[in-house]
Amino acid sequence: MLVISRFLWRTSLALFLASSLVFACSSTPHTLAPTPTTHNITPTSITHSFTPTSPLGALTQISSDPYTNKTSQHKTEVEPDSFAFGNTVVAAFKVGRYFKGGASNIGWATSINSGRTWTHGFLPGTTVYAGGPYAQVSDPSVAYDAMHNVWMISYLAHKTSPSTGAITDVLASRSTNGGVTWSTPVLVKQGGPMSAFDKDWIACDDTATSPFYGHCYTEFDEGCCIDLVLMSTSTDGGMTWGRLKTTADRASGLGGQPLVQPNGTVIVPIIVLTSSLTIENIAAFQSRNGGASWSSTVLISRSDYHYPKGGMRAPFPFPSTGTDRSGKVYVAWPDCRFESGCRSNDIVMSTSIDGKTWLAVQRIPLDHAGSGVDHFIPGLAVDQSTSGSAGHLVLAFYYYPNSNCTSSTCQLEVGSSSSTDGGKTWSSTNRLAGPMALSWLASTSKGAMVGDYISTSFAGGKAYPVFAIATAPRGGVFNEAMYTISGGLT
């Protein structure tokens, strides 16, 4: 499918970035000394104020935008990621979304008792609204390093408006006490003039028997002009990060999600772009040597994507991923190949045991083909205590009950489905929240926003999706915040 506005402004900077990328891939590692900052927040479970639409349990609000700066939109929280280890779940998300990009800060919410109660706060030392030097922050991703007992949130930080001329750094904030307090950020990669790093994602090797136990990996792309895929590795709990590496074929792409198998192999499903930067496919690459080098990309599948109507921000079919206990990789993304005329998206899935050979794409039967329901922005979780034919998967997603809608008639809802046989069969769609009008959502240059991605994580045998829900604005102020399902999903 054609890539729209993302690339229109890049061509004029191509020659400049060629020299900038040489600098980006050869400069020495950077680090900033983290200074612990304590948040005096009592653990709370904020109950959702309107009647839950889910028969599975009440919705629990886990955060709300406290900022009041006039340059961004309040109250808005969007684009969550989450990760779980043991009984702890940590989520991170944008708070106070700007129209052109970025946010006033990154918020976090942590449960240390498998989702029963949540503590929440906002990262210190990031933007000028949180005692830091940056104008905006964006694209949070969460990981846990079991060897060093460190939780990490990686994100982008913009020194000027995140558009042409921006200087974007990649940062990571660390927590050494279970995700309850967070340090000021460590510098993963400092951007050069007019840099535009995009879509960072972080993961760690948490298998004690792996030869690369304690390695953490971050993926992002040089978002201006050629979307060169970049990787960096840390071996000291995210305190310092190594030189940038490209894939062997110097792939262009975005939205990669590193996954680590029990044997230490890192597999990164990602959207890759052709040389013309106009065709998107779902692919993967890997490292078998702890991030010392990265393979060429292999094709998982072509992408057939229906852009949701009504001005909804969902510009790419970003994959959502997970691994089971054996290391089998699951990749899900929105796709219209099974719908006549590509009139709406299903969520589809492919799997692999080695990251090289991928099974044929299967349609997840959330609704019958031709139903007119449009599904997008998936958040897949795989229970790592299960595997094979007993693999437990839970998928959360946004959807329109009627894909043929307009900005004033589209009704946005949140749904879920589960599988207890490794994805062979799935439950029917459960409505978790909605309907929501698009006018209730944060407004961006690419449409009404809940997030380019959402996330679901397992803890204590239950899956906890984290997603944005909005109610009607009051007095010109939005009411869009982060929620999960009380008691989780099975």
Side-chain angles (χ1 to χ4, degrees), residues 34-100:
T35 302
T37 301
T38 301
H39 295 260
N40 295 317
I41 301 173
T42 302
T44 57
S45 181
I46 307 171
T47 303
H48 185 31
S49 60
F50 56 82
T51 304
T53 60
S54 170
L56 303 174
L59 297 170
T60 296
Q61 185 175 344
I62 59 174
S63 183
S64 180
D65 174 7
Y67 295 100
T68 58
N69 58 294
K70 297 184 182 301
T71 49
S72 59
Q73 300 168 86
H74 308 292
K75 298 180 174 182
T76 61
E77 293 184 327
V78 298
E79 202 160 86
D81 181 40
S82 65
F83 189 79
F85 191 89
N87 294 325
T88 299
V89 185
V90 175
F93 35 86
K94 297 180 187 177
V95 182
R97 168 71 196 199
Y98 282 75
F99 176 78
K100 289 186 177 180

Side-chain angles (χ1 to χ4, degrees), residues 467-489:
F467 46 86
I469 296 178
T471 56
R474 295 182 179 180
V477 177
F478 287 103
N479 185 24
E480 185 176 12
M482 284 295 121
Y483 289 81
T484 189
I485 296 293
S486 304
L489 301 174

Side-chain angles (χ1 to χ4, degrees), residues 47-280:
T47 303
H48 185 31
S49 60
F50 56 82
T51 304
T53 60
S54 170
L56 303 174
L59 297 170
T60 296
Q61 185 175 344
I62 59 174
S63 183
S64 180
D65 174 7
Y67 295 100
T68 58
N69 58 294
K70 297 184 182 301
T71 49
S72 59
Q73 300 168 86
H74 308 292
K75 298 180 174 182
T76 61
E77 293 184 327
V78 298
E79 202 160 86
D81 181 40
S82 65
F83 189 79
F85 191 89
N87 294 325
T88 299
V89 185
V90 175
F93 35 86
K94 297 180 187 177
V95 182
R97 168 71 196 199
Y98 282 75
F99 176 78
K100 289 186 177 180
S104 299
N105 202 358
I106 302 298
W108 57 268
T110 298
S111 173
I112 60 173
N113 53 16
S114 298
R116 289 195 295 274
T117 59
W118 295 80
T119 299
H120 67 98
F122 307 92
L123 294 182
T126 55
T127 67
V128 293
Y129 312 109
Y134 294 96
Q136 299 101 3
V137 286
S138 189
D139 294 2
S141 174
V142 184
Y144 177 66
D145 180 352
M147 179 178 180
H148 299 98
N149 189 28
V150 176
W151 285 89
M152 283 176 261
I153 300 173
S154 72
Y155 49 98
L156 308 175
H158 310 291
K159 293 180 181 176
T160 62
S161 176
S163 59
T164 304
I167 298 177
T168 304
D169 294 341
V170 183
L171 306 179
S173 293
R174 305 168 68 252
S175 173
T176 57
N177 64 351
V180 178
T181 63
W182 295 85
S183 71
T184 53
V186 168
L187 187 59
V188 176
K189 177 59 188 176
Q190 186 173 31
M194 303 179 79
S195 67
F197 296 137
D198 197 11
K199 286 293 174 284
D200 62 297
W201 206 267
I202 190 172
C204 297
D205 188 334
D206 291 332
T207 302
T209 56
S210 166
F212 309 110
Y213 181 46
H215 282 47
C216 294
Y217 308 94
T218 186
E219 184 277 339
F220 49 95
D221 66 279
E222 176 49 84
C224 176
C225 307
I226 64 173
D227 284 277
L228 183 67
V229 175
L230 302 169
M231 298 293 303
S232 182
T233 302
S234 174
T235 60
D236 58 4
M239 286 291 294
T240 60
W241 292 83
R243 294 177 60 181
L244 299 184
K245 306 287 181 70
T246 68
T247 64
D249 56 348
R250 295 183 63 82
S252 294
L254 71 162
Q257 295 192 2
L259 300 165
V260 187
Q261 295 182 304
N263 65 1
T265 296
V266 186
I267 298 172
V268 189
I270 191 171
I271 293 175
V272 293
L273 308 171
T274 64
S275 58
S276 63
L277 300 181
T278 58
I279 304 297
E280 306 157 8

